[in-house]
Amino acid sequence: PAMLIGGLAVIARGIPRQTIDIDAVVQGEGLDVETLLQVLEKSGFAPRIPDAVAFAHQRQVLLMRHVPSGVPLDLSLGWLPFERDAMSRATLIDLAGVTLPVATAEDLVVFKAVAWRDRDKGDIERLVVRHGDTFDFARIRETLAAFYDALDEPERLQEFDALVKRALAARGE
């Protein structure tokens, strides 16, 4: 199991934006990173850093580059129950003739709220404006509360709530 989770996923969910890389997650349990690297290399990808396999084992992300196009690929190794569940909820979307599993808009909000960079905050606002009427905000908040507690940043939940409140106001709610 795998899915897109970054800027391309946000675009696939109907939000116009620019991106320069591909962010995806693949099921990490039982995954042989060395074999994955070999498969990716056969598909035109090369490691972006020396000893990419050791880095992937340590940081849970395999940093690759598509050699013909130069496009970076950040391939996260998903171990958490949330990631596994999100992959099971992903839907297939056609992106320029290639059908790929893409995280749901609701799950993208969680991924973006964990990363919490300025670009992620903007993506969250736009996702809420566009798809908020389909979101289970109680589930999102519960998931984020667990992440923020693990990160020892529980105050971030209030920041998330304020961001969502602004986005819902922009929707007219």
Side-chain angles (χ1 to χ4, degrees):
M3 66 182 173
L4 291 177
I5 59 172
L8 282 179
V10 172
I11 292 165
R13 293 294 171 196
I15 309 299
R17 77 185 295 280
Q18 294 181 335
T19 188
I20 59 169
D21 67 352
I22 300 169
D23 298 294
V25 63
V26 63
Q27 179 62 45
E29 285 181 84
L31 180 69
D32 181 342
V33 178
E34 291 83 2
T35 301
L36 175 61
L37 179 66
Q38 292 170 3
V39 169
L40 289 169
E41 285 176 331
K42 289 178 185 174
S43 297
F45 288 88
R48 290 196 332 247
I49 60 171
D51 210 357
V53 171
F55 184 87
H57 284 294
Q58 180 183 28
R59 300 283 180 97
Q60 305 306 308
V61 64
L62 185 59
L63 301 175
M64 305 293 289
R65 177 177 320 288
H66 184 248
V67 176
S69 66
V71 173
L73 167 67
D74 294 353
L75 188 58
S76 296
L77 309 179
W79 296 92
L80 300 174
F82 167 75
E83 293 165 315
R84 184 177 50 249
D85 293 345
M87 283 185 267
S88 73
R89 287 187 291 268
T91 59
L92 296 175
I93 296 181
D94 182 281
L95 295 169
V98 178
T99 302
L100 298 167
V102 177
T104 66
E106 186 173 312
D107 287 333
L108 281 172
V109 166
V110 173
F111 280 108
K112 296 288 186 173
V114 170
W116 206 241
R117 301 166 302 185
D118 287 341
R119 171 156 274 193
D120 298 311
K121 293 173 190 178
D123 287 341
I124 292 166
E125 286 191 72
R126 288 185 292 278
L127 286 162
V128 169
V129 167
R130 178 151 181 133
H131 300 284
D133 59 334
T134 66
F135 289 175
D136 179 348
F137 284 106
R139 184 187 73 81
I140 292 171
R141 286 188 89 257
E142 180 180 325
T143 303
L144 288 176
F147 274 114
Y148 293 158
D149 282 345
L151 293 169
D152 198 26
E153 296 182 7
E155 69 282 354
R156 227 198 276 176
L157 193 58
Q158 287 73 37
E159 295 174 43
F160 173 79
D161 287 341
L163 186 146
V164 168
K165 185 177 180 180
R166 282 192 309 272
L168 290 174
R171 284 178 51 98
E173 293 181 27

